[in-house]
């Protein structure tokens, strides 16, 4: 079974530029998550989709971050404009169902973003 | 509020046993996960506890006490490849999301 795919793996941009990340979840997984992991910290949830609907985006900085999952499969996360503090690893994860508890999330390899 | 605490770093010797502790305070609880994360890689699932007690899976075991808000991950017969960060994560909060601790960086020495 193929895992969660993400691209690009690495990205270097200058502050105020825009960047987009792509994620393809495990086939059949209805729930998709985007996390931000700053060096030395645990992942922090940015947004959670159930099929193509948003379940939780309470920690997404909506003035600069946006995400979509138009057909309920692939997803893109965009930052516009980027700030220095956005330097982090952006992890995509997926799970079979909407988590009421206990649904294991499977993570992709992440996109490592450096904002200069 | 939500709070998950685990030691920042630990060191252990190859072949030994190590216990990584995690304490949590969350509004609501629907299970606790342990993930392993090697440097530069994605977190991978190790274990899940929702009821009190010990769950054993090969060299790894995880324990949960809901009344104490406490869990530990036990790694036996340590190998060099076990050097990694170990993340404790709780399903909780008002929107039932996975909340991660900062991780414990384990260094296994020969």
């Amino acid at each position: 079974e193929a895992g969660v795919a993400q691209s690009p793996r690495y990205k270097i941009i200058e502050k105020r530029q825009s960047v987009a990340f792509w994620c393809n979840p495990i086939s059949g997984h209805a729930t998709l998550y985007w996390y931000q992991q700053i060096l030395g910290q645990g992942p922090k949830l940015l947004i959670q989709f159930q099929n193509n609907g948003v379940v939780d985006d309470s920690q997404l900085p909506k003035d600069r971050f946006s995400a979509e999952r138009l057909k309920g499969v692939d997803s893109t996360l965009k930052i516009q404009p980027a700030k220095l503090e956005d330097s982090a690893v952006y992890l995509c994860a997926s799970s079979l169902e909407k988590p009421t508890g206990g649904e294991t999330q499977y993570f992709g390899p992440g996109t490592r973003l450096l904002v200069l | 509020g939500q709070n998950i605490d685990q030691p920042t770093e630990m060191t252990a010797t190859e072949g030994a046993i190590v216990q990584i502790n995690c304490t949590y305070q969350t509004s609501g609880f629907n299970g606790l996960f342990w993930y392993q994360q090697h440097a530069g890689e994605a977190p991978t699932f190790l274990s899940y506890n929702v009821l009190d007690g010990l769950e054993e899976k090969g060299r790894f075991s995880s324990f949960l006490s809901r009344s104490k808000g406490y869990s530990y991950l036990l790694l036996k017969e340590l190998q060099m490849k076990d050097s990694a960060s170990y993340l404790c994560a709780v399903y909780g909060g008002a929107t039932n999301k996975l909340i991660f601790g900062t991780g414990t960086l384990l260094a296994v020495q020969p």
Side-chain angles (χ1 to χ4, degrees):
Chain A
E1 176 181 87
V4 177
Q6 290 187 249
S7 67
R9 292 296 311 276
Y10 305 91
K11 191 73 177 178
I12 301 175
I13 61 173
E14 295 187 349
K15 59 183 179 183
R16 292 188 289 273
Q17 285 187 322
S18 302
V19 66
F21 313 128
W22 173 82
C23 172
N24 182 244
I26 293 173
S27 178
H29 279 196
T31 310
L32 184 147
Y33 315 79
W34 284 102
Y35 287 88
Q36 180 192 58
Q37 186 174 24
I38 293 171
L39 188 64
Q41 298 182 18
K44 182 185 82 171
L45 180 69
L46 292 175
I47 189 167
Q48 175 185 330
F49 291 95
Q50 172 75 10
N51 296 308
N52 61 349
V54 175
V55 174
D56 184 351
D57 63 356
S58 58
Q59 297 191 101
L60 186 75
K62 298 180 186 65
D63 58 332
R64 298 183 301 107
F65 286 63
S66 64
E68 59 183 13
R69 192 186 185 200
L70 290 175
K71 296 183 179 179
V73 181
D74 292 6
S75 177
T76 56
L77 176 71
K78 297 179 182 178
I79 308 175
Q80 180 178 15
K83 292 185 176 182
L84 296 177
E85 59 260 36
D86 297 333
S87 295
V89 177
Y90 291 84
L91 295 164
C92 179
S94 69
S95 65
L96 265 175
E97 300 171 358
K98 178 180 178 179
T100 55
E103 195 61 54
T104 300
Q105 295 184 25
Y106 297 91
F107 286 82
T111 296
R112 191 174 299 271
L113 174 67
L114 179 61
V115 182
L116 301 175
Chain B
Q2 331 286 1
N3 196 43
I4 298 177
D5 287 318
Q6 40 180 145
T8 305
E9 297 180 353
M10 297 183 71
T11 303
T13 304
E14 193 175 15
I17 300 173
V18 70
Q19 177 175 312
I20 303 174
N21 296 324
C22 171
T23 57
Y24 63 89
Q25 289 178 304
T26 58
S27 56
F29 176 85
N30 281 308
L32 186 145
F33 284 83
W34 284 95
Y35 280 84
Q36 180 191 60
Q37 188 175 28
H38 285 99
E41 297 182 13
T44 54
F45 168 75
L46 286 179
S47 68
Y48 167 67
N49 295 71
V50 67
L51 300 175
D52 291 351
L54 188 68
E55 294 282 341
E56 296 186 80
K57 189 186 295 185
R59 294 189 300 115
F60 292 19
S61 303
S62 57
F63 171 83
L64 174 66
S65 169
R66 289 171 296 171
S67 62
K68 295 181 179 178
Y70 168 70
S71 173
Y72 67 73
L73 180 69
L74 193 71
L75 291 77
K76 304 175 186 175
E77 301 169 16
L78 279 172
Q79 302 175 9
M80 298 299 290
K81 67 178 182 179
D82 297 329
S83 293
S85 183
Y86 290 85
L87 299 163
C88 174
V90 173
Y91 257 122
T95 54
N96 197 35
K97 60 189 170 194
L98 199 57
I99 304 161
F100 283 86
T102 56
T104 298
L105 186 61
L106 174 67
V108 180
Q109 297 179 340

